Amino acid sequence: MNTTARSTDTADAIAAAWNGPVGRHWAEHQDRYDAMMAGFNDALFGAAAIGDRDRVLDIGCGSGCTTREAARRAGQGRVLGVDISEPLLDRARALSGHLAHLGYELGDAQVHPFPASAYDVAISRGGVMFFADHTEAFANIARALRPGGRLAFMCPRPAAPGTDEGRALGRLASLLGQEQAIGGGLAEGMASLARPGRIEDVLTGAGFREIDVTPVTEDTHWGKDAADAVDFFLSRTPDRTVPDETRAAMREALLPYETERGVLLRAGVWVVTAHA
Ligand SMILES: C[S@@+](CC[C@H](N)C(=O)[O-])C[C@H]1O[C@@H](n2cnc3c(N)ncnc32)[C@H](O)[C@@H]1O
């Protein structure tokens, strides 16, 4: 199989996942996913430094939490959210109402024909890991930015062994199999930008400069209690039945992280900034 064919197959599989059960699950549980990632918003928006008149592109915007926040910050500018998932864009549009300077488009950001030099800032909260070819994708985003335009995104950092998240998610993964723990066959994509060296190589290859990769660690919210968090995990694959003892072992793995504010796991991301 040549590289082009492999990339096409990968892109098709990723698009199918985000337009199939994975995307529908994220759309249906948008409030839970937003609550899970909320702790990272300040770091992302601090890095993006969006100004009132900026033209902003939100890559892999999903149900649009960060797109709407960008639109609040760029009140005199304009904001476009792009995503490959129809169910998530339906949810984004339903939640966004009608704001003249906020819009959404369906598209694969790797190849989407963005107008050249049309944006001041490109942001992404976890929407840049699933490209079939990351260098090609970031080069396409660089072309959409004006010269000197900013890129600010976050992507998962591997859970270090011995940390809360490492222990709890490791236990769930061993009980369920890694794919089930992460969800929907997207484990490989989720980890694709886990290494700072890889992030720097990809962005340099795409023409970005002044690359900064900073670790950020925050609480992530998984459910109101351990049983609720287990239900959420298992809802990702509704066709699979899990024995009662597995469910009980999952709950036990999450019990140490129950707090008054729900099940909280410390989790790490990279917050990455660069200039086109
Ligand atoms: C982990 S979710 C994050 C969604 C959103 N940024 C948020 O914070 O809720 C990843 C998103 O990237 C989108 N995505 C994956 N590959 C994409 C691509 N090639 N082009 C555009 N969006 C893509 C998915 O459809 C999904 O909405």
Side-chain angles (χ1 to χ4, degrees), residues 5 39 48 51 148-149 175 216 254 268:
L175 287 164
V216 174
L254 292 172

Side-chain angles (χ1 to χ4, degrees), residues 7-52:
S7 287
T8 306
D9 287 350
T10 308
D12 287 350
I14 292 167
W18 286 108
N19 281 287
V22 179
R24 286 197 296 275
H25 192 267
W26 274 70
E28 196 178 324
H29 297 278
Q30 157 270 325
D31 51 346
R32 299 192 68 137
Y33 284 110
D34 281 344
M36 191 185 296
M37 292 186 286
F40 298 113
N41 290 350
D42 283 351
L44 176 65
F45 282 100
I50 293 171
D52 189 44

Side-chain angles (χ1 to χ4, degrees), residues 169-170 172-185 187 236 240:
L169 296 184
L172 296 185
S174 69
L175 287 164
L176 292 170
Q178 186 67 14
E179 283 296 331
Q180 166 98 26
I182 289 181
R236 291 169 163 186
R240 176 169 161 174

